[in-house]
């Protein structure tokens, strides 16, 4: 049995990436089905919503930093268009981030990263402890200084999911609440997907946006199977009651060599994150990681003691071998990868969606003659085979 007849596109996975692609694709006139048992409730739900091209830029990841910087610049327009389409807010905030060093040795580490960021042209300014505390009065007196990161912003990830679901439904995206068991490929062409209930969705193109599960999908030839792995992260949702002081903007901290972040919301909520653990597809929440997060966050912002714990959530980041996303065509005609976004799924969603919709439209790449920001992040960088949909190697 098939669902709904032939579609232009079936998107495997309804996280931030799959939903953004579905919305942009339906807006471009394509018929779209999204298959996910619970759209928006995977790692997207656990995320904090940081849009952090600078804080996330690591030594040796210059290409990824450039992509991430382009992505944060796309966010204001994406947020405005999504709010208009959905009729509801996403709470995008362009108020920057403060990176704080807990002690002198953390300060030495933030200085090294600052030098790297400045060397590759990212906006970052060293601040003394007093300047940090003037900027953010809730910081502990004992911090060792910090760095102002004016290009690192935030959005409410859950509001964004709500808006994307609304915009997709308004646009006519069909949602199928099931798991994809295999991608159907016939004569080197993707023809749709099979679901766990035995039904099919037939489509002219299949977009794999299944996050950390993308590599475990049935039916993918080894040459195009994306090398993603799950990297667990636990976040904690806190709430400031009436009269409890609130952070002004996002604070990231290095405390005795461990990282944490505190992302304040418009309504007094605050997201504290996040652990980084490689434990396969295990979503449990060990006490040790939580205890470290609480200890580090309280050391930097003692007022957290007055906040209530509302929720702990774990999610699985889709990690790739070089920490970069895996976005583009594969050697299977009609099979497009949009996965491996690792720590930057929220940030990269707008650019990824536009890239994928461009590829779906042309079958061979965006009609925009300027080089794609994803050139260094194509699926075939992990494979010796380099071909395109059009059946040529050129
Ligand atoms: N982007 C933050 C995290 O992955 O924890």
């Amino acid at each position: 049995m098939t669902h709904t007849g032939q579609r232009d596109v079936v998107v495997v996975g309804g996280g931030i990436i799959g939903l953004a692609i579905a919305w942009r694709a339906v807006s471009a006139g394509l018929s779209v089905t999204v298959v996910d048992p619970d759209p928006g409730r995977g790692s997207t739900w656990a995320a904090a919503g940081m849009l952090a091209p600078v804080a996330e830029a690591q030594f040796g990841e210059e290409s990824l930093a450039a992509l991430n910087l382009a992505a944060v610049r796309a966010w204001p327009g994406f947020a405005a268009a999504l709010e208009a389409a959905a009729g509801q807010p996403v709470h995008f905030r362009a108020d920057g981030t403060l990176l704080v060093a807990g002690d002198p040795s953390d300060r030495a580490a933030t200085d090294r990263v600052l030098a790297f960021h400045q060397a590759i042209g990212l906006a970052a300014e060293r601040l003394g402890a007093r300047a940090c505390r003037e900027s953010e009065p809730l910081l502990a007196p004992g911090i060792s200084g910090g760095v102002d990161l004016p290009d690192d912003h935030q959005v409410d990830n859950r509001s964004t999911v709500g808006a994307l679901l609304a915009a997709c439904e308004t646009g006519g995206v069909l949602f199928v609440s099931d798991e994809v068991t295999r991608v159907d490929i016939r004569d080197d062409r993707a023809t749709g997907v099979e679901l766990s209930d035995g039904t099919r969705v037939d489509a002219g193109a299949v977009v794999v946006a299944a996050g950390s599960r993308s590599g475990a999908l049935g039916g993918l030839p080894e040459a195009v199977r994306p090398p993603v792995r799950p990297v667990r992260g636990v976040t904690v949702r806190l709430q400031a009651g009436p009269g409890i002081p609130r952070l002004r903007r996002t604070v990231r901290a290095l405390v005795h060599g461990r990282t944490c972040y505190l992302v304040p919301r418009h309504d007094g909520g605050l997201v504290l994150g996040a652990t980084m653990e490689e434990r396969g597809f295990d979503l449990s929440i060990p006490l040790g990681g939580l205890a470290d997060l609480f200890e580090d966050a309280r050391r930097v912002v003692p007022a957290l003691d007055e906040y209530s714990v509302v929720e702990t959530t774990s999610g699985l980041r889709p990690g790739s071998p070089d920490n970069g996303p895996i976005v583009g065509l594969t050697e299977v005609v009609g099979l497009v990868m949009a996965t491996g976004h690792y720590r930057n799924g929220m940030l990269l969603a707008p650019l990824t969606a536009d890239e994928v919709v461009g590829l779906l439209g042309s079958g061979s790449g965006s009609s925009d003659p300027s080089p794609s920001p994803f050139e260094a992040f194509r699926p075939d960088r992990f494979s010796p085979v380099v071909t395109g949909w059009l059946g040529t190697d050129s």
Side-chain angles (χ1 to χ4, degrees), residues 66-385:
L67 176 69
N68 288 346
L69 199 57
V72 83
R73 291 181 178 145
W75 254 97
F78 180 84
L82 179 55
E83 288 181 339
Q88 56 194 77
V90 299
H91 301 294
F92 168 71
R93 284 173 56 172
D95 45 11
T97 291
L98 193 59
L99 170 64
V100 172
D103 66 22
S105 118
D106 296 321
R107 178 65 154 167
T110 57
D111 279 347
R112 282 194 295 277
V113 178
L114 171 68
F116 165 65
H117 288 162
Q118 290 178 335
I120 63 171
L122 299 175
E125 186 195 345
R126 192 175 198 270
L127 298 178
R130 181 186 297 179
C132 287
R133 296 191 66 229
E134 278 167 11
S135 159
E136 184 48 78
L138 293 190
L139 291 173
I143 61 155
S144 286
V147 182
D148 183 41
L149 303 174
D151 286 338
D152 283 13
H153 304 315
Q154 66 135 310
V155 68
D156 186 324
N157 50 306
R158 294 182 176 182
S159 299
T160 304
V161 163
L164 279 170
L165 288 171
C168 282
E169 271 163 25
T170 303
V173 173
L174 295 179
F175 285 91
V176 175
S177 178
D178 203 340
E179 297 270 7
V180 169
T181 50
R182 59 182 291 111
V183 176
D184 275 335
I185 295 173
R186 294 180 199 160
D187 301 327
D188 293 329
R189 175 180 286 273
T191 59
V193 295
E194 280 176 27
L195 311 182
S196 68
D197 66 2
T199 60
R200 286 177 44 81
V201 178
D202 294 324
V206 175
V207 177
V208 174
S212 60
R213 297 193 179 271
S214 300
L217 279 179
L220 294 179
E222 285 312 308
V224 300
R225 186 174 295 285
V228 289
R229 68 185 196 285
V231 181
R232 185 172 63 197
V234 174
T235 51
V236 183
R237 274 158 166 90
L238 304 171
Q239 183 71 38
I244 303 298
R246 302 175 180 191
L247 283 179
R248 291 176 176 169
R249 59 183 171 138
T250 298
V251 170
R252 300 178 70 121
L254 190 64
V255 182
H256 302 330
R258 292 195 302 238
T259 58
C260 68
Y261 47 77
L262 301 96
V263 185
R265 298 292 198 227
H266 71 285
D267 60 358
L270 184 146
V271 186
L272 165 62
T275 61
M276 286 275 286
E277 303 152 285
E278 305 233 9
R279 300 287 168 88
F281 291 98
D282 176 2
L283 280 166
S284 59
I285 302 179
L287 179 66
L290 267 189
D292 289 347
L293 271 185
F294 287 140
E295 182 185 328
D296 298 343
R298 292 172 64 230
R299 186 175 292 271
V300 177
V301 180
L304 283 191
D305 282 359
E306 304 300 322
Y307 282 54
S308 304
V309 177
V310 177
E311 182 190 313
T312 54
T313 316
S314 63
L316 300 172
R317 305 176 183 88
S320 75
D322 60 8
N323 297 336
I326 301 171
V327 175
L329 305 176
T330 67
E331 65 185 72
V332 174
V333 178
L335 180 66
V336 183
M337 291 295 153
T339 186
H341 293 77
Y342 191 37
R343 295 178 59 95
N344 298 304
M346 293 298 302
L347 172 62
L348 289 171
L351 281 194
T352 300
D354 286 348
E355 178 73 8
V356 168
V357 172
L359 295 170
L360 290 170
S362 69
S364 59
S366 166
S367 53
D368 183 346
S370 54
S372 162
F374 288 93
E375 271 324 311
F377 301 100
R378 296 305 191 197
D380 60 18
R381 73 188 187 278
F382 300 118
S383 155
V385 182

